[in-house]
Amino acid sequence: MDASETLELRCADAWRAVTEDKIGDWRLRAAGGFTGRANSALAVGDPGMPVPQALDRVREFARDQGIPPVVHTIVDSAAERAVAAAGWVPDTGHAAGHLVSVLLGPLGDGPCDGAEVLSRPTSAWWELTAGTTEPGPARRHVLTTGEIGYGVAQITGGAVRAAMTGDLLHISRLAVRPGHRRRGLAKALMAACGPWAAARGATRCVLQVAVDNAPALALYEALGFGEHHRYRYWVPACEDRSL
């Protein structure tokens, strides 16, 4: 596998779905509709069968799990070309953005005034990262499975999820309340996660941001991150996506 494929698998390990299966190297994932990453087939590696046949299996798995069929591919990869040739189309209706930049950067090590990484999530952390103080089983599984740190800032004016995956720190769900923005909380949260991850063997940080999220991309560029590759979501050209 090339570096982009390896990095995609590492990110997938940091964001585990509730239900997982495999078609050869491809990973089938379902988590009750909570996030695209946890409810799509990661088309990395060899599916062990012709791609059209593998896509039929993706449809079957999605139908069994009550989710729309979606495939997650590395942009310009052989798998993506094969998925497109099979008649699937980019999922331009994906709410969080169907085209995503995968960024690599250094661990934060600057001042982290008012920010810390907790060993357990608080109600305020859940509210900011999952949109509810009473998350259901799917949200709990995806956000708490693995070696996780729960970053909070200034009495939870901001929050972030920090996950270890090998020697990488995987950052996700960074959020700052509207009334606390432009105070440096996002940078403080990133800085707090760095020492937490370094103590667990991390040497670099990886995160995933929709390409149309200009404020987030600007923040991470200022912190020294650069794009490693992009991925994209695909759906059948003709499919009932109301599930």
Side-chain angles (χ1 to χ4, degrees):
M1 289 188 177
D2 65 21
S4 296
E5 292 175 322
T6 299
L7 188 55
E8 280 295 329
L9 292 175
R10 296 282 292 279
C11 289
D13 288 341
W15 193 260
R16 302 310 297 250
V18 176
T19 302
E20 298 189 5
D21 202 347
K22 298 190 77 174
I23 307 171
D25 295 327
W26 287 19
R27 296 190 186 186
L28 305 179
R29 304 172 292 186
F34 177 62
T35 78
R37 277 177 287 170
N39 291 273
S40 59
L42 177 58
V44 166
D46 181 4
M49 63 184 68
V51 168
Q53 185 178 345
L55 293 173
D56 287 342
R57 294 278 300 278
V58 170
R59 282 193 178 98
E60 291 171 6
F61 176 83
R63 182 170 57 248
D64 291 345
Q65 297 299 319
I67 60 175
V70 178
V71 171
H72 167 163
T73 66
I74 297 170
V75 170
D76 293 331
S77 65
E80 180 169 86
R81 292 189 290 272
V83 168
W88 289 45
V89 296
D91 186 13
T92 55
H94 185 72
H98 80 288
L99 184 60
V100 179
S101 178
V102 179
L103 307 178
L104 276 178
L107 298 178
D109 60 359
C112 51
D113 296 341
E116 60 182 326
V117 179
L118 307 177
S119 60
R120 293 184 179 182
T122 63
S123 293
W125 185 91
W126 279 116
E127 179 189 357
L128 276 169
T129 61
T132 177
T133 58
E134 298 181 358
R139 280 176 166 79
R140 284 190 178 276
H141 179 91
V142 173
L143 295 179
T144 64
T145 298
E147 188 171 5
I148 310 299
Y150 307 91
V152 297
Q154 290 190 8
I155 315 177
T156 325
V160 69
R161 179 184 188 265
M164 290 297 302
T165 176
D167 64 350
L168 289 172
L169 164 64
H170 181 272
I171 288 289
S172 61
R173 313 301 286 187
L174 193 155
V176 177
R177 296 185 191 279
H180 290 75
R181 291 174 185 166
R182 300 187 183 279
R183 300 182 187 179
L185 265 63
K187 290 183 178 179
L189 284 164
M190 293 293 291
C193 290
W196 176 88
R200 290 159 174 78
T203 59
R204 295 180 299 166
C205 181
V206 61
L207 47 86
Q208 298 143 301
V209 183
V211 297
D212 59 0
N213 189 344
L217 291 172
L219 166 68
Y220 296 125
E221 181 179 4
L223 293 175
F225 283 78
E227 183 173 273
H228 186 272
H229 67 274
R230 293 182 175 186
Y231 69 78
R232 180 161 32 208
Y233 293 116
W234 294 76
V235 294
C238 297
E239 190 84 28
D240 180 3
R241 302 175 201 166
S242 62
L243 292 174

